Amino acid sequence: MVAQEAHPHGAPQGFIRKYIFSLDHKVIGLQYFFLALVAVFVGMFLSLLMRIHMIWPTAVLPLVGEIKPETYLSLLTMHGTIMVFFVLTTAPQGGFGNYFLPIQIGAPDMAFPVLNMLSFWTTFVAFVVILAAFFVTGGAPLHGWTGYAPLSALSNSGPGEQLGADLWITSIAIFCVASLMGALNFITTTLDLRAKGMTMMRMPLTCWAWFITAILGLLAFGVLLSAGILLLLDRNLGTSFYVPLVVVNGQVMGHKGGSPLLWQHLFWFFGHPEVYIAILPGMGVASQLLSTFSRKPIFGYKAMVYAIMAIGFLGFMVWGHHMFMSGMSPYTAFAFSIMTMAIGVPSAIKTFNWLGTIHGGRVRFQTPMLFAIGFVSLFVSGGLSGPFLAQPVLDIPLHDTAFVVGHFHLIMGVAAIFGMFAGTYYWVPKMFGRMMNETWGKVHFVITLIGTYSIFMPMHYLGMAGQPRRYSQFTELAYLKQLMPLNTFMTYAAIVTIAAQFIFVINLFWSMFKGPKASDNPWESTTLEWTTATPPPHDNFGGHTPVVNHGPYEYNVPGAPRDYVMQTDPATVASH
């Protein structure tokens, strides 16, 4: 379908319409990006407090005071929730996706600009609501980021389970509404607003990743929204969706007939696709960068597209592997185990294709490329422990240990964040017209990669040694005292790694205003965002709708005048 010639809305005039309630997808993308930047520092700070408490459980910290066991659980809950929703979901999809999807497919804007603006401000409200949970009577909830019932469904089950838990659920429900609006926008834009010649199989893999992620979001967030509404009803109106006949503090609660397992099913039916909502955009960015900086076409483009589709499809079939501990039938567990092993196949295809892309290329080891390689490294390292946890016989002893924490932080947490770093270093020249400092970028990469492995790889050993997760301190159990030196090492690594992120922030903000001016195509890339001015004009292409004649990864083409062919180059130019 051909994109509309006219921009769907005129250029904004006033400050508020231009920078605050903007309809321009580029401004909205930056708003998402900076919201996620604030959220990631909040989340990192909470994780630092947790690690400090593990090593020095009696320490009294300035402003925070003494961290009690219930305070620790609140930190754990809020760290997980903020990171999963407001960082891993918000930055790759809401930030980079909003900014670059329309430009990469040759569209003047998103299909529904007003819906786009509403989706950001709804996300912003959700973030404010979840932060408010820290400041209400009783404090933030302590039921974990997964919010398992009946702990989360009874307001007298512990400190933080009163208004704080209501705010937590409300925030997630608001976030779901925002994500559903965003998903509709992404899907419609991708299907309806592609430029002439931009067939689906000529789209960059970043666009495919954002497209499939939007479909996952559309199908998954609605389930979580429903689950959250039912949980609010249980907590406040006396319904019994999740609460069985139960005695709390010697009192029979006025609930009966509910099932805590219903919450688990609904939550994980969202929760496992959410893992791929977080990681698929990073896969797209890694594919883009590995091809660009290896000066080679992506190895097996169609296989990569079908692998993204397969990951999206299979992602809805495996939620039960989070519930092997729940007493499910061994036959059901076997089925979920088989499906979980199957989802490793498309991930392996992507990994081997990334290695095939680099192999034999003229690799340019610039900062975006280093973070893309780091992404692949972390994705593989975290992924290798997945098949262990896919076996019920191994998952049951390992499930409630640090092994699981190490696994999902590597594959879903820091791998996705490395994808964000790669995208930032790659696209900041286009977004702000200035280059980031290459030397400090490499320093940031080295410290962050080593630090990340130093924090999360030992968790696998601790888990196999039996260190439980969600315990606030390890001083009471004799066998855990032997593991304290490794915990201490991980805490020091976390302090150094978090400090290194300030290098990135200073580099980012310094470069935005003082960095060297960027050309329109500093990386010699082929996709459409590098054909327009820097930064892009209001309608992205200055009134000229691009016509696409080539695929997205035409590098090192025999017979071409230079080692890359832009997607908009005339059809007469040689291509693969």
Side-chain angles (χ1 to χ4, degrees), residues 313-328:
F313 177 72
L314 291 171
F316 281 100
M317 309 267 171
V318 297
W319 80 91
H321 70 211
H322 297 270
M323 297 173 58
F324 288 150
M325 297 279 281
S326 68
M328 68 166 61

Side-chain angles (χ1 to χ4, degrees), residues 365-405:
F365 289 106
Q366 289 163 292
T367 308
M369 179 62 162
L370 293 176
F371 275 101
I373 294 171
F375 169 89
V376 176
S377 168
L378 290 163
F379 180 73
V380 172
S381 304
L384 288 175
S385 54
F388 293 93
L389 298 172
Q391 311 305 320
V393 70
L394 289 173
D395 180 74
I396 287 171
L398 288 173
H399 186 85
D400 211 30
T401 70
F403 189 95
V404 175
V405 184

Side-chain angles (χ1 to χ4, degrees), residues 222-458:
V223 176
L224 184 63
L225 176 61
S226 309
I229 292 169
L230 299 185
L231 189 57
L232 279 173
L233 293 175
D234 269 15
R235 291 176 52 81
N236 297 297
L237 295 181
T239 57
S240 294
F241 293 106
Y242 307 124
V243 187
L245 187 65
V246 67
V247 177
V248 176
N249 298 331
Q251 290 183 313
V252 178
M253 304 306 296
H255 295 267
K256 59 183 183 296
S259 169
L261 287 182
L262 174 61
W263 169 264
Q264 290 194 32
H265 279 292
L266 292 174
F267 182 87
W268 286 118
F269 189 80
F270 148 81
H272 202 86
E274 165 61 27
V275 172
Y276 297 105
I277 289 170
I279 201 70
L280 278 177
M283 291 179 168
V285 170
S287 304
Q288 181 90 1
L289 270 58
L290 292 171
S291 176
T292 301
F293 289 92
S294 298
R295 314 311 293 167
K296 272 183 66 185
I298 195 79
F299 188 92
Y301 172 87
K302 285 188 176 177
M304 295 292 256
V305 170
Y306 295 136
I308 293 177
M309 291 180 182
I311 288 170
F313 177 72
L314 291 171
F316 281 100
M317 309 267 171
V318 297
W319 80 91
H321 70 211
H322 297 270
M323 297 173 58
F324 288 150
M325 297 279 281
S326 68
M328 68 166 61
S329 153
Y331 299 104
T332 312
F334 178 70
F336 279 122
S337 176
I338 293 292
M339 295 305 293
T340 305
M341 298 297 282
I343 206 168
V345 175
S347 297
I349 289 170
K350 295 190 77 64
T351 302
F352 287 121
N353 283 14
W354 287 327
L355 297 176
T357 303
I358 300 172
H359 179 70
R362 299 196 304 278
V363 181
R364 301 174 177 177
F365 289 106
Q366 289 163 292
T367 308
M369 179 62 162
L370 293 176
F371 275 101
I373 294 171
F375 169 89
V376 176
S377 168
L378 290 163
F379 180 73
V380 172
S381 304
L384 288 175
S385 54
F388 293 93
L389 298 172
Q391 311 305 320
V393 70
L394 289 173
D395 180 74
I396 287 171
L398 288 173
H399 186 85
D400 211 30
T401 70
F403 189 95
V404 175
V405 184
H407 161 71
F408 76 72
H409 273 85
L410 279 180
I411 194 166
M412 173 191 172
V414 283
I417 285 175
F418 264 62
M420 294 176 216
F421 282 139
T424 304
Y425 283 102
Y426 179 66
W427 278 315
V428 155
K430 181 53 64 175
M431 294 193 288
F432 299 108
R434 294 180 182 273
M435 304 294 289
M436 290 180 72
N437 185 289
E438 192 70 17
T439 305
W440 283 112
K442 287 176 177 169
V443 170
H444 172 226
F445 166 75
V446 170
I447 299 175
T448 306
L449 186 71
I450 295 171
T452 294
Y453 273 116
S454 301
I455 299 165
F456 298 113
M457 200 49 87

